[in-house]
Amino acid sequence: LSLHDALPISEYLRRLSQYRRADVLLTQKYEMSFDEFISRRIVRERGYGWDVESDAMEWETAISGMKTMRRNIEELQEEGHV
């Protein structure tokens, strides 16, 4: 990832914050971590309803997004752009 192709670090941090917020809200809503939510098959347990399916997709996106943003930030730091 070159500086030319990268978003500004502030954008990565903003997105990371949004993903973290979604993770925290869903963790509070279900009173468990995403890993537990998946391993306990909560979507199936709750009858595959739209709300729980939608939450599962949002949560998965947040977890994946946090990993991606952290990786992008680390790459910029390693390249000395931060």
Side-chain angles (χ1 to χ4, degrees):
L1 185 68
S2 71
L3 179 60
H4 181 300
D5 299 329
L7 291 171
I9 188 79
S10 60
E11 180 61 16
Y12 290 136
L13 291 169
R14 185 188 68 77
R15 291 181 185 184
L16 179 59
S17 177
Q18 286 181 321
Y19 292 136
R20 281 184 180 153
R21 185 172 188 271
D23 180 41
V24 167
L25 291 174
L26 290 164
T27 296
Q28 290 171 345
K29 179 177 180 176
Y30 290 96
E31 299 180 340
M32 65 185 75
S33 69
F34 178 70
D35 289 339
E36 187 177 356
F37 179 87
I38 295 300
S39 68
R40 288 182 50 191
R41 299 178 178 180
I42 299 300
V43 174
R44 184 179 71 182
E45 179 183 298
R46 298 203 181 176
Y48 301 95
W50 170 251
D51 288 347
V52 71
E53 285 271 8
S54 178
D55 285 348
M57 289 185 285
E58 180 182 351
W59 211 346
E60 185 172 18
T61 298
I63 297 298
S64 175
M66 286 190 296
K67 289 177 186 174
T68 300
M69 292 306 108
R70 286 186 188 120
R71 185 175 61 245
N72 291 344
I73 291 165
E74 287 172 11
E75 287 174 3
L76 285 176
Q77 289 171 335
E78 288 170 4
E79 293 175 5
H81 298 300
V82 177

